Amino acid sequence: MIPDTDPNSIVYLNGEYQRLADAKISVLDRGFIFGDGIYDVVPVYAGKPFRMAAHLARLQRNLKILRLETGFTTADWEALVTDMIKRSGLSNCVVYIQVSRGVAKRDHAFPLGVKPTIFCMVNPFTRPTAQQRDQGLSAVSATDIRWQRCDIKSTSLLANILARQQAVDSGVDEVIQFRDGLLTEGSACNIWMVKDGELLAPPLDEHILEGIRYRLLEELAVQQDIPFVARPIAQHEVDTADELMLTSATKEVLPIVIYNGQPVGGTGRPGPIYRRLQAAYDKLVEL
Ligand SMILES: Cc1ncc(COP(=O)(O)O)c(C=O)c1O
């Protein structure tokens, strides 16, 4: 038994639907041996996948970068996600999709003629609590020690794991990472800053993941007449931010109110721009 999992939940593995407890892969799978794979996470509200097209476009983009040929069209991925949601019987849930390069003799170079391993599971989605939304989160700064292709949603997550553990060890909720003195992102989320009424985020490049909520928050900002600027953000600017927030599929939009032990914006309370964006986000997912 794997703690905190439902052994009877149905997962998809290489064309077959199986109980989680029965699904097995080879120890030679390159996902296991090398972390040679990519993944995506689609949130589902009331049985409806949210921004599925954007998630699947990112999945297909990542597969292409890694030259992983699944033979799945976007319509096939859509059908799989829809089917998995139905089989789960869950209303609010999270669909996890992973593709690794498959099973081969251990050698770094791409093996020839190997079929990728395709895996999908659905887990219950516990949305952020009222306390997290109303009282906010805490974060500390950290050096971004990750590689130069953080735009790839790779299953090689060691540096993200170390970053997340740094937050746990520091007794806070998240880390805010900096590379060469510039803001990148959290351990598993994008980071946003508000200064003088402007919403700021680092530009999309190879140092951050293009979160599906990156574009979405940009859209919501435009809709709400909040000026949005994507530009390099220096670490000292984050120290004096009026507001800080994070976004991810499972965290949605949450405020960071304590940063390096100091109250953000001098108040340590969620700010007005956060409140507007969060309300707009809620409206979208509850449609
Ligand atoms: C490193 C990193 N950045 C950003 C995000 C946010 O992406 P999304 O909004 O698609 O969940 C994630 C999500 O898991 C992530 O792992």
Side-chain angles (χ1 to χ4, degrees), residues 16 59 144 162 167 186 219 231 252:
E16 286 180 21
L59 179 76
D144 194 337
L162 292 176
E219 275 174 41
R231 65 157 172 83
E252 302 180 340

Coordinates of all heavy atoms in Angstrom, one line a residue, residues 16 59 144 162 167 186 219 231 252:
E16 N -3.7 0.7 -21.3 CA -4.5 -0.1 -20.4 C -5.0 0.7 -19.2 O -4.2 1.5 -18.7 CB -3.7 -1.3 -19.9 CG -3.6 -2.3 -21.0 CD -2.8 -3.5 -20.6 OE1 -2.8 -3.8 -19.3 OE2 -2.3 -4.2 -21.4
L59 N 1.9 20.4 -23.4 CA 2.3 19.0 -23.4 C 2.9 18.6 -24.8 O 4.1 18.1 -24.8 CB 1.2 18.1 -23.1 CG 1.4 16.6 -23.0 CD1 2.2 16.2 -21.8 CD2 0.1 15.7 -23.2
D144 N 18.3 30.2 -7.3 CA 17.8 29.2 -8.3 C 18.9 28.4 -8.8 O 19.8 28.9 -9.5 CB 17.1 30.0 -9.5 CG 16.2 29.1 -10.3 OD1 16.5 27.9 -10.4 OD2 15.3 29.6 -11.0
L162 N 14.5 20.2 -4.0 CA 15.4 20.8 -3.0 C 14.9 22.2 -2.6 O 14.9 22.5 -1.4 CB 16.9 20.9 -3.5 CG 17.6 19.5 -3.7 CD1 18.9 19.7 -4.3 CD2 17.7 18.8 -2.4
A167 N 11.9 25.4 1.7 CA 10.8 26.1 2.2 C 10.3 25.4 3.5 O 10.1 26.0 4.5 CB 9.6 26.2 1.2
G186 N 8.7 30.2 -8.3 CA 8.7 29.4 -7.0 C 9.2 28.0 -7.3 O 9.7 27.7 -8.4
E219 N -4.3 37.8 -19.0 CA -5.7 38.1 -19.6 C -6.6 38.8 -18.5 O -7.3 39.7 -18.8 CB -6.4 36.8 -19.9 CG -6.1 36.2 -21.2 CD -6.7 34.8 -21.4 OE1 -7.9 34.7 -20.9 OE2 -6.1 33.9 -21.9
R231 N 8.9 42.0 -17.3 CA 10.3 42.5 -17.5 C 11.1 41.9 -16.4 O 10.6 41.3 -15.4 CB 10.3 44.0 -17.3 CG 9.8 44.5 -16.0 CD 10.4 45.9 -15.7 NE 9.9 46.6 -14.5 CZ 10.4 46.4 -13.3 NH1 11.4 45.5 -13.1 NH2 9.9 47.1 -12.3
E252 N -3.9 27.8 -7.6 CA -4.7 28.9 -8.2 C -4.0 30.2 -8.1 O -2.8 30.3 -8.5 CB -6.1 28.9 -7.6 CG -6.8 27.6 -7.8 CD -8.2 27.5 -7.2 OE1 -8.6 28.4 -6.4 OE2 -9.0 26.7 -7.6

